Amino acid sequence: MIDVGLFVGNMEKMVAFYCDILNFETDWDGGLFATFKKDRDQLFMFDRKHFAESIGETYVPPSGINLTMEMYMRFATTEVDQEYERLKALNVRIIEELSTKPWGQRNFFIADPEGNIIEIGD
């Protein structure tokens, strides 16, 4: 099992997005660190500025789309279209529209509030 961690600039905004929009569960208490669960998957977030300071690095806030990683959320083929319509109705930033790839995968890409790419597909 691999847990994915995100360094974030605005914990409150990111916790709200992952809980209210992507339906992750958390017991976040407002601190610098949050853990999330969704089914068997786990995700954690840590305040980016605090982490940079803790390892002696200069804090440089990112901007735009994060092109260093992506998170993949797998759905049953029959649920991908429903999830696309649900997220579109919630005005989530869609990076690449829903399509079926030549190799048969049905997917789309969104960005969270801080520009992390999330691929949603079957």
Side-chain angles (χ1 to χ4, degrees):
M1 177 188 244
I2 296 175
D3 293 343
V4 173
L6 296 175
F7 297 111
V8 302
N10 184 326
M11 287 289 288
E12 189 172 320
K13 189 174 190 178
M14 292 290 279
V15 168
F17 178 83
Y18 279 83
C19 290
D20 299 342
I21 303 297
L22 296 183
N23 300 318
F24 279 77
E25 296 177 12
T26 187
D27 57 0
W28 183 60
D29 63 1
L32 299 172
F33 184 83
T35 58
F36 301 83
K37 285 191 167 219
K38 182 172 180 155
D39 304 320
R40 297 180 321 171
D41 302 318
Q42 293 190 74
L43 171 71
F44 67 87
M45 290 180 191
F46 194 71
D47 180 87
R48 183 182 291 111
K49 185 175 182 181
H50 187 270
F51 184 79
E53 291 169 356
S54 74
I55 62 170
E57 290 291 323
T58 302
Y59 173 66
V60 180
S63 64
I65 296 294
N66 178 355
L67 295 174
T68 60
M69 58 83 70
E70 90 168 42
M71 186 179 348
Y72 185 80
M73 295 178 65
R74 186 178 316 275
F75 285 79
T77 302
T78 56
E79 297 173 334
V80 174
D81 289 49
Q82 293 171 337
E83 187 65 3
Y84 174 79
E85 293 300 330
R86 186 183 78 80
L87 294 175
K88 192 173 179 179
L90 292 170
N91 295 313
V92 170
R93 183 175 179 191
I94 296 175
I95 302 300
E96 183 179 305
E97 298 292 329
L98 177 65
S99 66
T100 301
K101 304 298 185 226
W103 53 88
Q105 180 188 23
R106 188 135 175 91
N107 68 348
F108 62 100
F109 292 81
I110 64 171
D112 71 17
E114 294 193 3
N116 297 298
I117 296 174
I118 304 165
E119 180 181 357
I120 298 173
D122 59 11

